[in-house]
Amino acid sequence: MISIKPNGSLHPWRFRLVVGLLGLFCLAISYRIIELHVLDQGFLKNQGDKRSVRHVTIPAHRGQITDRHGEPLAVSTPVVTLWANPTQLVGHEERWPELARALGTDPRTFAERLKANAGKEFIYLRRRMTPQDGEAVMTLKVPGVYSIEEYRRFYPAGEVAAHLVGFTNVDEAGQEGLELAYDQWLQGVPGKRQVIQDRRGRLIKDVQVVSNARPGNDLNLSIDLRLQYIAHRELREALKNFGAKAGSVVLVDVRSGEVLAMANHPSYNPNNRSNLKPDMMRNRALIDVFEPGSPIKTFTVAAGLMSGRYQPSTVMDTRPGSMRVATMTVRDIHNYGVLDVTGVIVKSSNVGVAKMTLDIGAEPLYNLLQQLGLGEYTGLGFPGESVGRLPSRRKWPQVETATLSYGYGLSVTATQLAQAYAALGNEGRRVPLSLLKVDQLPQGDQVIPSDVSHQLLDMLRATVDGQGGTGSRARVPGYQVGGKTGTVHKTMPGGGYAKDRYRSVFAGVAPISNPRFAAVVVIDEPSKGQYYGGLVAAPVFGEVMSGALRLLNITPDDLPALQQVELPPLEKEGSRG
């Protein structure tokens, strides 16, 4: 028989136990809800975001490099880079041949590469494809294949401005030239975009732009691309005609100090560097140093005129065409006899300038060369620029005094020599050189008195236009041109000079009546018969200067000479057209 308690309940403690447990369960669930939605909301939201929210980089294009007229020399074009997650691609091996063909690679090689990287989550498939080619691959919708928007650097002028502009690497970081020198200025700042993706990386929602991309700054160079093409073309032809090893041309605006053209050979195409050799990348106009030879005689005579001991008409006896200086003999090519100072420049007499420097001492010439910028950086900030060598002596031996007077015993770059001749054409004022466009003319430092600079320009004009001058091949019809030739023995690595290896040099200014441009031409090791500066380098100077004077509409200052130039009959002109 079952006993029932007076209140009719059956084991009431069990009921209370069940109710208590249910209550505890409700409290636990309520606490967990509060914990998830209130206490740990930030942590859980962060964990969820890590699995779905991504920050995608918004690429920023690099700033343009242009010439002084806005013609592009370096631009960034949009491209597509394809990458893959091999852990996802492994499960779709049947799509590999199709993907390999779309990428333009061998299917077998492609399969081997994927298998070798099967444990990785990221590999590049192909970088910097055109947007059209990249879109064609993405339309295949192969699982595990993704795209990234990037930019690729392109150089419209190709090899013509390669040494000056330089190039970037695959990540658009400057590696050479002005691309390297102004890398921070040109670089853009990438932006960020917040998106939601699924676990396979597919875009679900574009949430917001966190930060906008900021493009790089543009760089406006002093170079005139038209003149750069002319310098490049004439230099290339000279190297071909004379079998030369290399060469450089530098053209400078004497008033502003702007470098209007800087060409070198051999050159390279920065858009296709598959066969690039280190020797091709060197900007020889700023990096290669050489003994300038006779172009220094211009400043030797300047030092003599500034001393007050000499005038253009001062008579100097160079007979018998040689002179003994300590243990060395200074020689001229011919016995020029008695010359005035102008004749010393026109005939390029070593004996004449050596006598002048031994008379006034080496210090005035050394000080002048130093003030003209020889033996120091030009201030252009170009990577790897050479400073050259200007020897300094407490007491100058006679031999070194004599050799300094005609350009031996020191070394310069073509750009340093162009800067010195630019000062000569700018009323004797030296202005800083610039590879960037200048908006305001600099004042400059007076290095040579203006009256002396005018006398020197007349002497240089006689060297080109005068009877028996060494620079006659540098003439430009309709313009008065002045300059100085140089034929320099090349030094040997172990010391001394090579017997049959030369550098042909020409440095000059035009037009003489109102100078606007200075230019220097250096041809390294001409091998086809001729090697004198007046025969090899002077014609290049003439063609480059002719193009500059005409393209920039400089008024002719030698019209009588222009009228003497024979032109084709008009009827022949018409018959061709």
Side-chain angles (χ1 to χ4, degrees):
M1 177 175 289
I2 301 173
S3 61
I4 298 177
K5 292 187 178 182
N7 58 7
S9 60
L10 180 64
H11 303 292
W13 63 272
R14 295 181 178 177
F15 176 76
R16 289 193 292 270
L17 177 62
V18 171
V19 172
L21 290 174
L22 289 175
L24 289 174
F25 288 149
C26 290
L27 287 174
I29 292 172
S30 299
Y31 176 79
R32 185 58 177 164
I33 292 173
I34 295 172
E35 183 183 39
L36 293 176
H37 288 274
V38 180
L39 301 178
D40 290 340
Q41 181 188 24
F43 172 78
L44 295 173
K45 185 176 184 300
N46 182 51
Q47 292 297 315
D49 288 347
K50 286 181 179 180
R51 289 160 176 78
S52 61
V53 176
R54 297 288 185 268
H55 286 91
V56 180
T57 299
I58 303 174
H61 68 80
R62 193 173 174 88
Q64 283 194 90
I65 299 179
T66 65
D67 84 335
R68 64 186 301 106
H69 301 298
E71 290 295 324
L73 300 175
V75 295
S76 291
T77 57
V79 292
V80 173
T81 289
L82 299 181
W83 66 278
N85 185 338
T87 60
Q88 298 175 9
L89 265 176
V90 166
H92 301 275
E93 192 169 345
E94 71 282 357
R95 304 291 304 275
W96 291 3
E98 180 186 11
L99 179 59
R101 286 191 295 270
L103 292 170
T105 60
D106 178 62
R108 182 176 179 180
T109 304
F110 182 73
E112 291 176 353
R113 183 180 173 219
L114 284 181
K115 291 176 181 178
N117 294 277
K120 297 182 179 179
E121 294 187 354
F122 180 94
I123 61 168
Y124 282 116
L125 295 178
R126 189 172 170 187
R127 298 203 67 177
R128 303 197 299 183
M129 300 176 68
T130 63
Q132 295 83 0
D133 292 342
E135 182 65 24
V137 176
M138 294 303 297
T139 54
L140 298 176
K141 296 184 178 180
V142 179
V145 176
Y146 307 96
S147 65
I148 305 172
E149 294 180 3
E150 291 185 321
Y151 286 92
R152 179 183 181 181
R153 206 65 163 163
F154 177 69
Y155 301 93
E159 67 176 17
V160 174
H163 292 109
L164 189 62
V165 176
F167 57 83
T168 62
N169 62 12
V170 69
D171 295 313
E172 284 218 315
Q175 299 295 294
E176 289 288 337
L178 295 178
E179 289 275 32
L180 174 60
Y182 290 91
D183 187 48
Q184 291 186 346
W185 174 262
L186 292 165
Q187 274 186 354
V189 178
K192 287 184 179 180
R193 187 173 71 245
Q194 190 180 66
V195 299
I196 296 178
Q197 296 175 333
D198 65 10
R199 65 186 184 89
R200 296 185 180 276
R202 292 175 297 195
L203 179 65
I204 297 175
K205 183 180 179 181
D206 193 337
V207 180
Q208 63 177 341
V209 174
V210 179
S211 61
N212 291 312
R214 191 173 72 238
N217 301 294
D218 293 340
L219 197 64
N220 191 204
L221 302 188
S222 62
I223 298 299
D224 188 321
L225 189 54
R226 300 170 300 173
L227 302 182
Q228 184 74 13
Y229 271 115
I230 293 174
H232 175 82
R233 180 191 67 203
E234 297 302 325
L235 184 61
R236 180 183 59 199
E237 289 301 310
L239 264 62
K240 179 180 177 181
N241 294 336
F242 294 100
K245 178 181 177 181
S248 300
V249 174
V250 181
L251 179 68
V252 177
D253 186 317
V254 302
R255 298 176 182 176
S256 65
E258 294 170 299
V259 179
L260 300 177
M262 182 180 287
N264 300 275
H265 268 286
S267 189
Y268 65 96
N269 184 358
N271 299 307
N272 181 9
R273 302 193 289 272
S274 57
N275 297 318
L276 181 61
K277 298 178 181 178
D279 188 57
M280 296 178 177
M281 295 170 17
R282 200 163 70 240
N283 188 342
R284 298 171 183 271
L286 281 162
I287 295 176
D288 284 12
V289 296
F290 58 94
E291 290 183 311
S294 293
I296 292 297
K297 293 175 183 175
T298 302
F299 306 110
T300 301
V301 171
L305 296 176
M306 291 167 63
S307 71
R309 298 173 65 88
Y310 293 88
Q311 298 295 325
S313 58
T314 302
V315 175
M316 302 190 68
D317 188 355
T318 67
R319 294 175 296 185
S322 64
M323 63 179 290
R324 191 72 177 172
V325 178
T327 60
M328 180 186 69
T329 300
V330 177
R331 289 187 174 88
D332 288 335
I333 296 177
H334 304 289
N335 179 6
Y336 296 120
V338 178
L339 300 171
D340 59 13
V341 172
T342 299
V344 169
I345 286 290
V346 171
K347 298 295 184 182
S348 194
S349 171
N350 292 337
V351 174
V353 292
K355 283 189 173 182
M356 184 181 296
T357 308
L358 289 169
D359 180 32
I360 65 173
E363 288 82 4
L365 175 56
Y366 168 82
N367 292 334
L368 176 59
L369 295 177
Q370 188 179 46
Q371 291 174 28
L372 288 167
L374 274 60
E376 61 183 44
Y377 291 110
T378 60
L380 294 174
F382 194 88
E385 179 186 358
S386 298
V387 71
R389 176 178 176 270
L390 182 62
S392 176
R393 301 287 185 267
R394 180 175 299 176
K395 183 176 181 181
W396 283 85
Q398 284 191 322
V399 170
E400 292 193 29
T401 299
T403 55
L404 183 68
S405 70
Y406 50 84
Y408 281 83
L410 73 161
S411 62
V412 302
T413 65
T415 305
Q416 287 176 324
L417 191 58
Q419 183 181 36
Y421 270 79
L424 186 63
N426 191 32
E427 300 276 342
R429 289 190 301 272
R430 175 193 170 189
V431 296
L433 294 185
S434 176
L435 289 172
L436 305 182
K437 188 176 180 181
V438 173
D439 296 323
Q440 187 175 0
L441 295 180
Q443 292 297 319
D445 299 323
Q446 195 73 43
V447 178
I448 301 174
S450 59
D451 58 333
V452 173
S453 70
H454 292 156
Q455 292 171 344
L456 289 168
L457 290 175
D458 287 338
M459 295 179 190
L460 294 178
R461 181 180 58 80
T463 302
V464 174
D465 292 335
Q467 186 68 28
T470 59
S472 60
R473 292 175 183 262
R475 292 173 182 168
V476 178
Y479 295 90
Q480 297 181 36
V481 176
K484 189 75 191 72
T485 61
T487 307
V488 188
H489 283 279
K490 288 191 66 174
T491 56
M492 299 292 288
Y497 294 93
K499 293 180 60 177
D500 55 353
R501 296 167 62 188
Y502 300 89
R503 275 193 177 92
S504 303
V505 184
F506 191 93
V509 178
I512 292 298
S513 62
N514 186 20
R516 288 295 307 278
F517 310 115
V520 169
V521 178
V522 181
I523 308 294
D524 188 14
E525 289 191 35
S527 60
K528 291 185 179 179
Q530 304 294 345
Y531 56 85
Y532 290 111
L535 298 174
V536 177
V540 178
F541 174 93
E543 292 296 331
V544 173
M545 193 62 74
S546 175
L549 293 168
R550 288 175 171 80
L551 279 173
L552 300 185
N553 296 319
I554 306 301
T555 304
D557 62 347
D558 194 14
L559 289 176
L562 184 62
Q563 293 169 355
Q564 295 175 8
V565 177
E566 295 185 4
L567 299 176
L570 291 177
E571 57 271 18
K572 291 186 178 179
E573 287 282 332
S575 66
R576 291 202 302 263

